[in-house]
Amino acid sequence: VFQGRILARRLVGQETRYEVEVKTPYRHRFPLVSREYVWVPNTCGCPPLREGGEYLLMARQHVNYERTLNRILLRDDGYARPWTPREGRLVREAARHC
């Protein structure tokens, strides 16, 4: 779970790749750097992430079977909400209990 700002969007094959500036990592099981690519396995614009917008994102690390591909994937069961100070407060409170 992290707060990020969408810098760019690009369609790659049947997927969408977002370049994201990681602002605040709240809870992560894999290391995040200041800029990451977040992949969405569709091209329909779901979830609707707009360039320049800040979001609270819950994504997963995806490593393929051969271990040749390691990326951050925002699946259908993931979480993407516009970031607000309230969202940040709720995530910080939840992190204390998890």
Side-chain angles (χ1 to χ4, degrees):
V1 177
F2 63 95
Q3 174 194 354
R5 184 168 62 95
I6 306 299
L7 300 175
R9 176 180 179 241
R10 181 174 182 196
L11 300 179
V12 179
Q14 297 298 314
E15 298 180 305
T16 306
R17 183 185 78 185
Y18 292 96
E19 184 178 353
V20 179
E21 176 187 359
V22 176
K23 295 198 152 248
T24 308
Y26 291 105
R27 182 161 173 94
H28 51 92
R29 297 175 194 249
F30 49 92
L32 293 171
V33 294
S34 62
R35 290 206 177 171
E36 293 280 2
Y37 286 124
V38 175
W39 292 84
V40 177
N42 64 54
T43 58
C44 69
C46 305
L49 304 177
R50 64 175 178 78
E51 291 183 33
E54 290 192 19
Y55 296 89
L56 186 63
L57 301 167
M58 182 180 75
R60 294 180 183 226
Q61 182 180 31
H62 172 253
V63 179
N64 68 349
Y65 182 73
E66 295 86 16
R67 299 214 180 270
T68 58
L69 181 65
N70 184 351
R71 62 191 187 159
I72 299 173
L73 186 66
L74 182 59
R75 299 186 334 187
D76 292 339
D77 62 347
Y79 185 84
R81 282 185 91 141
W83 185 87
T84 63
R86 180 181 179 274
E87 290 290 332
R89 188 183 76 247
L90 291 173
V91 171
R92 281 191 300 276
E93 289 173 5
R96 281 188 246 149
H97 300 292
C98 296

